[in-house]
Amino acid sequence: MKLKLTKSRFKLALECPVKLYYTGKKEYPDTKADNPFLEALAEGGFQVGELAKLYYPDGHNIGTIDYDEALKETNELLQQQDVTIFEAAVLYNDLFIRIDILEKKGNRVNLIEVKAKSIDLNEDQFLTPRGNIQSAWAPYLYDAAFQKYVLTKAFPDYEVSAYLMLANKNAKASIDGLNQRFLLQQDKRGRTYAKVTDTSDTGSKLLTTVKVDNEADIIYGKRYTLENVDLSFEEYVHHLADAYVNNRKIDHPIGKYCGSCEFQASDEQMAGGRRNGFKECWQARTALKEDDFKEQLIFSLWNFRGKQGLIDNSIYLLKDIDESLFSEDPGNEPGLTPD
């Protein structure tokens, strides 16, 4: 099967659509791929995912990583009136997803995305007072909304509801050492997974499902700008997919979000033939020369939220910042303030 826009690539594009061009290419090093902290978070996700499966003892697991085989197995299982599938594979045009838990009861289908994130059902809110998506929850809600879109398009006769399954902050474990039942291992391909050593009673339920159809509708109702074109959610998704599948770098402005770009190569890596995606973007959008990248960029400025303003004023290097560019602080002393 040719390249498809998956949910992980969609989430990557939300950070910056240009990343779709760099991801998965050996010539562009990915600093997040070797990040111990992110690896630890992923390991926690594997364990939570396996715990979630134990709540559905009759579930069928689609273990293959082959796209076509996964689709075949999923479609065969969906012929059943009632069925629960783990890692169900769904394809619609150039969009491909693997659903953590798909619960089918007749033509009603629950799409459940499992996340290693906790929620306080009494306090946490997905929306701001103005009805917008909370930034802290946006990656999870966009993930669920994207999957719901693909599933609904692939199976238009289904009534689809989307849920997040999260750790319940208000729940208490009734069994000691529950986490020790999920041992992290690696397969022959070097991929990490959690092996369940004991599937007996897991005690009190620690995970909770929260319906997010309303939040998905808000996401679908927004407008998105890409390459100076105003797009609906559907148009936006397929624009991303077309660029990724056809190996086209999306024309997108640089911004403060570039400071966290993972597609950066060291001098040693570049000397060995690797490429620096971050530098390529910035050289294409600015007048910066090769030697300028040996200087400290404005991203080195700690605890200052005005980096976008600097970029908008073509100020990219730390040495080019002048105090006169900033308003005086509350104490009427000239200098930088966090805002």
Side-chain angles (χ1 to χ4, degrees):
M1 182 184 292
K2 67 177 183 178
L3 292 174
K4 302 295 181 184
L5 185 72
T6 62
K7 63 180 182 181
S8 61
R9 291 165 187 151
F10 172 71
K11 290 190 294 182
L12 188 67
L14 290 175
E15 299 172 8
C16 172
V18 188
K19 290 182 179 182
L20 286 177
Y21 180 79
Y22 300 132
T23 186
K25 294 180 178 176
K26 293 182 178 180
E27 62 266 36
Y28 291 101
D30 181 348
T31 58
K32 287 185 179 179
D34 300 316
N35 188 313
F37 175 70
L38 294 178
E39 289 179 3
L41 291 179
E43 290 173 355
F46 294 132
Q47 293 171 319
V48 172
E50 290 303 319
L51 175 60
K53 291 178 182 178
L54 295 181
Y55 295 161
Y56 301 87
D58 296 327
H60 300 267
N61 188 63
I62 307 294
T64 179
I65 62 172
D66 180 85
Y67 280 20
D68 293 322
E69 184 62 28
L71 285 168
K72 180 175 179 293
E73 291 184 26
T74 298
N75 289 332
E76 288 175 353
L77 287 169
L78 288 175
Q79 298 303 310
Q80 300 181 29
Q81 180 72 7
D82 299 334
V83 67
T84 298
I85 309 172
F86 307 135
E87 296 297 326
V90 179
L91 174 69
Y92 174 67
N93 291 345
D94 288 327
L95 310 176
F96 179 82
I97 58 174
R98 297 291 295 264
I99 301 170
D100 290 342
I101 302 173
L102 187 153
E103 186 180 31
K104 177 178 180 288
K105 297 179 180 179
N107 72 329
R108 298 185 64 84
V109 176
N110 295 328
L111 182 160
I112 304 171
E113 175 67 10
V114 182
K115 296 296 185 184
K117 182 176 174 62
S118 59
I119 184 171
D120 186 330
L121 297 175
N122 298 318
E123 296 182 4
D124 290 324
Q125 301 290 328
F126 291 152
L127 303 179
T128 68
R130 294 187 176 183
N132 298 315
I133 302 293
Q134 289 273 16
S135 59
W137 288 101
Y140 310 101
L141 295 171
Y142 271 88
D143 186 347
F146 174 73
Q147 292 186 68
K148 181 181 179 181
Y149 169 77
V150 177
L151 181 59
T152 302
K153 288 294 184 179
F155 297 96
D157 293 333
Y158 288 171
E159 295 180 25
V160 179
S161 291
Y163 295 82
L164 291 181
M165 180 175 281
L166 307 161
N168 187 351
K169 287 183 179 180
N170 305 117
K172 293 183 179 180
S174 58
I175 296 178
D176 292 333
L178 183 61
N179 64 310
Q180 297 175 10
R181 298 188 187 184
F182 307 94
L183 300 181
L184 294 172
Q185 298 186 351
Q186 285 191 333
D187 62 17
K188 295 180 180 179
R189 295 172 177 261
R191 297 174 303 157
T192 301
Y193 68 97
K195 179 180 179 181
V196 183
T197 60
D198 184 355
T199 60
S200 62
D201 181 26
T202 56
S204 58
K205 194 171 183 179
L206 302 179
L207 305 180
T208 184
T209 52
V210 184
K211 196 172 186 178
V212 293
D213 285 339
N214 178 54
E215 289 75 12
D217 287 340
I218 291 173
I219 290 170
Y220 299 151
K222 292 180 59 179
R223 303 296 296 181
Y224 302 83
T225 300
L226 200 59
E227 298 188 306
N228 296 317
V229 179
D230 180 65
L231 304 169
S232 66
F233 178 84
E234 182 170 19
E235 292 168 334
Y236 173 69
V237 167
H238 288 284
H239 192 118
L240 293 174
D242 178 76
Y244 178 71
V245 170
N246 292 292
N247 196 32
R248 180 176 64 82
K249 183 184 290 188
I250 291 176
D251 183 19
H252 194 70
I254 58 174
K256 62 181 181 180
Y257 46 81
C258 295
S260 60
C261 181
E262 62 268 39
F263 296 102
Q264 302 197 45
S266 64
D267 292 339
E268 292 76 15
Q269 288 174 321
M270 294 186 68
R274 310 293 289 279
R275 301 175 66 175
N276 189 320
F278 168 84
K279 186 183 292 186
E280 288 182 9
C281 283
W282 276 58
Q283 285 182 320
R285 286 280 182 173
T286 70
L288 292 176
K289 306 299 182 183
E290 188 67 28
D291 287 343
D292 291 326
F293 288 92
K294 298 177 182 178
E295 303 284 345
Q296 285 190 309
L297 298 177
I298 59 171
F299 301 115
S300 299
L301 188 59
W302 180 79
N303 194 30
F304 177 66
R305 294 186 290 273
K307 295 184 180 71
Q308 187 61 53
L310 295 176
I311 294 172
D312 293 341
N313 284 283
S314 301
I315 298 173
Y316 314 118
L317 304 179
L318 200 62
K319 67 179 183 180
D320 293 334
I321 297 177
D322 191 289
E323 290 183 357
S324 64
L325 295 172
F326 301 88
S327 301
E328 293 183 347
D329 66 18
N332 293 322
E333 295 293 333
L336 300 178
T337 66
D339 295 324

